[in-house]
Amino acid sequence: MTCTHSRISRSVLSSPSSTCRSRRDLGLLALRVGTGGVLAAHGAQKLLGWFGGGGVSGTTAAMDAMGYTPAKASALAAGLGEAGGGALLALGLATPLGGAAAAGTMAGAAAVHAPNGFFAMEGGYEYPAFLGFVAAGLAVTGAGRYSLDHALGHVFDRHWMVPAALVGAAAAALAVVGSRTKRTQAAETAQETQGAEEPPAAG
């Protein structure tokens, strides 16, 4: 069954049918709950150690190894971005903020995997990039009727909030990723310099 417009009246022609709206809103609900649930689970690993995660201490160590400083603040930010952003997406509450927060966090994760190429099977950035694009798309489209945003009259889902949230998240992600990139490049240069200065081993 395809979504078509009735020929009865101009008012019906000017808006999609209720069936089309229901299908769209159900699709958004499924996408929100699925994506938000995955993100929230990853955040729970980082913050609480659930589902085999390392908790804050383990995530802090991982952030330090990946070049994100201060490591503990970075761990908390990543965990909150995933858990908080994912929960907001799943509930359909403050969708622009939740989607932008999750997308920004995934940008940081993608930067870590970028040197390994695109595909996830090779350790690439495919998976975080996909989650980030979905989160950003939901921030733009909104949560649909089956959401807390709709129930609350879109108090936390105003049109101006979409660009504000996405621009803010993008700026934060660029700053954090850029700072990490500079540190890792400096560390690599220092290692190369040290290796070049070491005398050859005696034969």
Side-chain angles (χ1 to χ4, degrees):
M1 178 179 178
T2 59
C3 293
T4 58
H5 296 300
S6 171
R7 299 180 181 177
I8 298 176
S9 67
R10 180 172 296 181
S11 62
V12 176
L13 281 170
S14 63
S15 62
S17 69
S18 59
T19 301
C20 289
R21 287 197 301 270
S22 295
R23 289 177 57 183
R24 179 197 63 195
D25 293 326
L26 283 172
L28 286 171
L29 175 63
L31 191 61
R32 280 181 16 241
V33 171
T35 305
V38 169
L39 287 164
H42 280 287
Q45 287 180 314
K46 292 177 173 64
L47 294 176
L48 304 172
W50 293 359
F51 312 117
V56 174
S57 60
T59 306
T60 298
M63 288 291 177
D64 186 54
M66 290 185 288
Y68 283 109
T69 58
K72 186 172 183 179
S74 299
L76 291 172
L80 289 172
E82 291 179 353
L88 290 175
L89 285 176
L91 295 171
L93 177 63
T95 306
L97 175 61
T105 304
M106 289 299 100
V112 174
H113 293 275
N116 299 323
F118 175 71
F119 291 104
M121 64 182 296
E122 299 173 354
Y125 62 92
E126 174 187 11
Y127 184 58
F130 174 75
L131 288 175
F133 277 118
V134 173
L138 288 169
V140 173
T141 60
R145 288 186 298 170
Y146 307 126
S147 66
L148 289 179
D149 275 337
H150 182 77
L152 296 173
H154 297 278
V155 175
F156 305 108
D157 184 27
R158 303 298 185 189
H159 291 304
W160 63 267
M161 294 178 182
V162 176
L166 289 174
V167 169
L174 285 173
V176 172
V177 171
S179 178
R180 172 190 175 269
T181 300
K182 290 180 180 179
R183 283 192 297 272
T184 54
Q185 289 177 345
E188 290 172 358
T189 301
Q191 288 178 351
E192 291 174 357
T193 302
Q194 182 179 0
E197 292 177 349
E198 290 179 355

